[in-house]
Amino acid sequence: MGLGEGAMEDMELRQFWNDREVLVTGHTGFKGSWLSLWLEQLGARVHGIALEPDAGPSMYRLAPLSAGDRSYIVDIRDGAALTKAVGRCRPEFVFHLAAQALVRRSYRAPAETYATNVGGTVNLLDAVLATESVKVVVVATTDKVYAETTGGVPYREVDALGGNDPYSSSKACTELVCRSYAHSFAAGRGIRLATARAGNVIGGGDWSEDRLVPDTLRAFEDGRALQLRYPKATRPWQHVLEPLGGYLAYAQALSEAGPGLPAAVNFGPDPAQVATVAQLADALGKVWGITRAWEPAPGSHPPEAAQLLLDSGLAASAIGWRPRLNLVQTIDWTCAWYRAWKSGADMRAFTQRQISDYEGMAA
């Protein structure tokens, strides 16, 4: 019996990442924990630099890495400490996920947001330049880096950068920082530096405030309807494994390919799978047996983009990446993770099973 497309890709991933020295910044966070565990499952030697995980439930604590001695608690705003930690890790690949990633928090703390997202990225890139082992750097940004338009057309990598709120603006600034460092420093050192722009990520293990899935599940747990600020806002929802698979494929392509690869790539869901905030809340309520999942939030709220859509055609043509999960599967996988957690399951093992199931799917 021949191997299926998903199994073949799984083998190629393992062959490439096995025994690689890889640094993940933000490894104690939601996306960083998933990526670190996936890399470890692929046989990589994973190093992590991040702040302590938030109090309360934590993906990092529930599904820990097996090698805790390669974890460094460092604030990326501290350039000297960051350079020292990166030098200790001596990675070949760097995935930069550490960030202040919440839009509403960016309104409350704009200086912190810019210092972390822009200044922290500058510090990380300076640390990379001081570490001879680094060959590839992938910096995670967001679908919100684009200047907002009203036409409902999916954003492409050639579209103008912008961002009205401090978080979006800080990530657009991060894109410009990476572009400058790539041309001014990294290319001359043989370092491939690129940015990855993902959609709105959901999945098990996220307990952040002001994110739809954890806010919805907390509301359901309390027996109340979730209050939605912008129920009609459209977002490119995707399971956390989708963009992370893109990051892995992108880093591999940057390592193996010539200089023709794009320096920034979108990783979003199939355009047919986008949904409004209200539609996603209703779908979550249906899975959990909640008849009245949400209600409009009273009062005025900081402005947010009404519609976000990503065109991921470049990811498909340049590195062969395509989304694997539709919206129904994304919601089912997410709810299954939280159900397993509530039942007391071994969440490291459960998370590893979801990663393996994802690897086995054809794109």
Side-chain angles (χ1 to χ4, degrees):
M1 180 182 296
L3 289 174
E5 182 180 349
M8 289 291 290
E9 291 177 356
D10 182 13
M11 288 181 59
E12 292 174 3
L13 272 176
R14 292 183 185 280
Q15 289 171 356
F16 181 83
W17 290 105
N18 189 52
D19 286 334
R20 299 280 192 177
E21 301 285 345
V22 184
L23 169 61
V24 178
T25 72
H27 71 294
T28 61
F30 166 50
K31 287 175 70 176
S33 293
W34 275 92
L35 179 58
S36 299
L37 200 62
W38 194 349
L39 281 163
E40 187 177 81
Q41 196 165 321
L42 292 171
R45 287 174 52 84
V46 183
H47 306 260
I49 293 175
L51 298 175
E52 290 280 1
D54 293 335
S58 162
M59 174 75 176
Y60 177 71
R61 295 192 184 100
L62 288 169
L65 294 174
S66 60
D69 61 326
R70 294 199 291 269
S71 176
Y72 298 89
I73 301 302
V74 176
D75 190 328
I76 62 172
R77 293 174 293 182
D78 185 339
L82 182 59
T83 296
K84 186 176 180 180
V86 174
R88 286 178 178 173
C89 298
R90 295 192 57 77
E92 182 181 1
F93 293 82
V94 177
F95 293 95
H96 181 42
L97 276 63
Q100 194 301 93
L102 302 175
V103 172
R104 293 231 294 174
R105 180 172 171 177
S106 78
Y107 279 107
R108 298 193 302 268
E112 174 200 46
T113 300
Y114 284 102
T116 301
N117 295 350
V118 185
T121 300
V122 169
N123 290 340
L124 184 277
L125 296 179
D126 283 343
V128 161
L129 294 173
T131 307
E132 293 183 357
S133 60
V134 179
K135 297 294 185 290
V136 174
V137 182
V138 174
V139 176
T141 62
T142 174
D143 54 353
K144 299 174 182 64
V145 298
Y146 294 106
E148 187 175 348
T149 61
T150 58
V153 177
Y155 292 111
R156 299 172 62 225
E157 291 83 353
V158 295
D159 290 336
L161 299 176
N164 294 327
D165 61 86
Y167 167 71
S168 303
S169 170
S170 74
K171 283 298 194 175
C173 291
T174 297
E175 291 275 351
L176 295 176
V177 165
C178 291
R179 186 184 302 174
S180 174
Y181 266 71
H183 288 282
S184 301
F185 309 112
R189 295 278 299 276
I191 299 171
R192 303 301 302 273
L193 168 59
T195 59
R197 304 165 182 174
N200 284 56
V201 174
I202 66 175
D206 186 7
W207 280 277
S208 300
E209 294 184 3
D210 293 327
R211 284 201 182 128
L212 183 60
V213 170
D215 282 353
T216 301
L217 297 181
R218 281 189 286 262
F220 294 171
E221 186 75 15
D222 295 340
R224 57 182 172 83
L226 176 67
Q227 292 190 336
L228 297 181
R229 301 184 300 274
Y230 296 102
K232 296 181 180 180
T234 300
R235 296 290 183 263
W237 311 105
Q238 58 186 162
H239 191 273
V240 62
L241 289 173
E242 298 275 44
L244 297 185
Y247 300 171
L248 292 173
Y250 197 13
Q252 180 176 347
L254 289 165
S255 174
E256 296 177 335
L261 276 180
V265 173
N266 290 338
F267 296 103
D270 184 321
Q273 301 300 321
V274 299
T276 66
V277 173
Q279 287 171 334
L280 182 58
D282 284 335
L284 290 167
K286 183 177 180 180
V287 173
W288 288 88
I290 307 295
T291 55
R292 183 168 173 264
W294 64 274
E295 62 188 16
S300 59
H301 310 286
E304 298 179 24
Q307 189 173 49
L308 287 172
L309 298 171
L310 284 180
D311 183 331
S312 300
L314 185 60
S317 61
I319 62 174
W321 178 89
R322 293 175 180 81
R324 304 183 184 192
L325 297 170
N326 60 37
L327 185 59
V328 172
Q329 291 170 313
T330 295
I331 294 168
D332 287 345
W333 282 38
T334 300
C335 292
W337 196 100
Y338 287 105
R339 279 210 176 99
W341 167 65
K342 288 179 68 66
S343 71
D346 179 338
M347 295 315 298
R348 176 182 163 88
F350 188 90
T351 303
Q352 289 174 321
R353 284 197 298 274
Q354 285 200 328
I355 292 171
S356 295
D357 289 344
Y358 182 82
E359 287 179 335
M361 300 177 70

